[in-house]
Amino acid sequence: MCAESKQKWKRRIFWIPTLHQLSSTPSQKYSSRTSRGEIVNTYGITQGTSWCGQGGAQTVVRLCDMSEESLSRNYKYMFQKLRDIRDVLANKIEDLGATLKNCYSIEEFASTSLPAQENVILLGQICCDSNGKLNAKSVVLEGDLEYSCGMQVPVDLSELREYSLFPGQVVVMEGINSTGRKLVASKLYEGVPLPFYRPEEQDDISDEQQMVLVACGPYTTSDSLTYEPLLDLIEIVKRDKPDVCILSYQLIGTFEEVFKRCLKGIIEGTRGLNTQLVFVPSLRDVHHEYVYPQPPFVFPEISKEDRQRVHLVPDPCTLNINGVVFGLTSTDIIFHMGTEEISSSVGSDRFTRILKHILTQRSYYPLYPPAEEMNIDYENFQLYAQMQVTPDVFIVPSELRYFVKDVIGCVCMNPGRLTKGQVGGTYGRLFIKPKINLEKERQNPCLAAQVVKI
């Protein structure tokens, strides 16, 4: 890892709080909240829906490993070389470029550095010409290795009627590059998403409706260590009996023992329900590996009777839940890309644009350079942080406002945080039903979804 990333790592360690700074008494603000159970966002047909599952009796949860073996253990990091990062980025441009070339029937790409008096089509990734944030006057296209040898050319966006760009985005642009020193872009080719997963005939899939509950930490308020929100969430799980409960973890305090105590409380508190528990780590977990992609938690204390229903998965990951594919990440890519994206005359809202970029760039973290808080191991990033299919449901927690929306056929949900400072936050719940008729066109398997206040 480069010196700058090591320095970021050191700064991260200095930010860790300690237990004595927090109170062991319940939070008054959390206890006095009046809006518990309020539904704040909906998707699909929710009127008259009874939000109760079957307790996971017929649910099968497994990691999708269609191309590579899933990330299942810790790995060595902080040893990558700049050449390795370059190779990963070059492969990304090459792979997405080949897809765009086939999709739009492009005969050949031109070089970013060769002058041409007629329209040319260039392949590359979006960069900024300085250390500041990207803006309409600082856009640079860094060409691929095959056609452009990685040469850069500034881009004039004044002829484009609409655009949405961010650093690291792989694009194909058409325009005039008369001097070889500036491309006047006239057309921007849209990215192409991966196909959706189609179950195989031999897949053992239940056609029963399944309930999935999703919550993202922190699981206690900022002024208390009593974990009241977590206890309330466990009571909701007992009451509603979801088939799957997906928990993105974030902990504060010192640290591993607190984590083990919380994890043990969730597992034992839901024992007897058969609810499938999925634990996703977070880069905010101060007891866990601070690298992306992030390996799963290690918790050997899981009892034999619980091992079949407790799933410790990496961040990011792609899950197959009874034939419905879930994309999961706890990294706040929505916020990171939202601070970097530039757009003009684009009708959709910013959340939709960013989600579409993620899906069409086929990566759980397409932003480059990454946010300052991110330490990315690019060799493992290439193996474990790429989408294998377009997920049916994409869970993407963020500090930004909660939402549920359909983006190019994928239901995307930000369930919000379970706590926001000293007050209660929100969680999400979904009803899914796999479509097992392989002869018909795909139908969205997410029937309904809600974001609810804890």
Side-chain angles (χ1 to χ4, degrees), residues 162-356:
E162 59 180 44
Y163 59 83
S164 172
L165 303 171
F166 66 91
Q169 178 183 2
V170 176
V171 298
V172 170
M173 284 185 169
E174 184 175 341
I176 295 178
N177 187 15
S178 58
T179 63
R181 297 179 180 177
K182 177 172 284 190
L183 172 69
V184 181
S186 58
K187 186 174 181 180
L188 178 66
Y189 290 84
E190 292 284 339
V192 183
L194 288 160
F196 290 95
Y197 172 74
R198 290 184 66 85
E200 303 291 338
E201 290 187 7
Q202 65 269 22
D203 285 357
D204 184 18
I205 297 175
S206 169
D207 60 355
E208 294 293 328
Q209 183 171 283
Q210 307 279 304
M211 180 184 169
V212 180
L213 187 145
V214 183
C216 179
Y219 291 96
T220 191
T221 56
S222 59
D223 60 343
S224 173
L225 274 177
T226 58
Y227 283 86
E228 287 180 283
L230 179 59
L231 297 176
D232 288 342
L233 183 67
I234 293 174
E235 290 303 314
I236 291 170
V237 172
K238 289 180 178 179
R239 181 195 70 195
D240 295 343
K241 299 179 177 61
D243 299 281
V244 182
C245 184
I246 300 173
L247 301 173
S248 175
Y249 238 76
Q250 292 182 16
L251 289 176
I252 56 177
T254 56
F255 292 122
E256 191 163 352
E257 288 304 317
V258 175
F259 162 73
K260 289 181 178 179
R261 188 165 67 246
C262 291
L263 207 64
K264 186 177 180 181
I266 296 170
I267 294 172
E268 292 182 353
T270 58
R271 187 173 291 159
L273 299 179
N274 291 320
T275 295
Q276 303 287 308
L277 299 176
V278 179
F279 294 97
V280 186
S282 167
L283 291 177
R284 297 186 180 189
D285 291 322
V286 293
H287 74 292
H288 197 45
E289 302 292 339
Y290 186 65
V291 65
Y292 186 89
Q294 193 174 25
F297 292 129
V298 177
F299 191 62
E301 292 86 350
I302 299 176
S303 65
K304 186 176 181 180
E305 62 181 306
D306 292 319
R307 286 176 188 167
Q308 294 298 316
R309 69 183 189 94
V310 176
H311 309 272
L312 306 179
V313 300
D315 174 30
C317 70
T318 308
L319 285 185
N320 185 324
I321 301 177
N322 275 28
V324 178
V325 172
F326 278 66
L328 307 176
T329 183
S330 60
T331 302
D332 199 344
I333 181 61
I334 298 292
F335 181 80
H336 294 174
M337 287 180 63
T339 61
E340 299 289 344
E341 184 232 19
I342 62 171
S343 62
S344 174
S345 301
V346 178
S348 59
D349 65 276
R350 172 161 287 198
F351 288 159
T352 299
R353 294 197 306 270
I354 292 172
L355 291 163
K356 186 177 180 181

Side-chain angles (χ1 to χ4, degrees), residues 21 35 42 53 67 79 141 150 156 219 385-387 396:
Q21 296 173 299
S35 58
T42 63
S67 57
F79 296 97
L141 184 68
D156 182 346
Y219 291 96
Q386 310 307 308
M387 291 184 176
V396 53

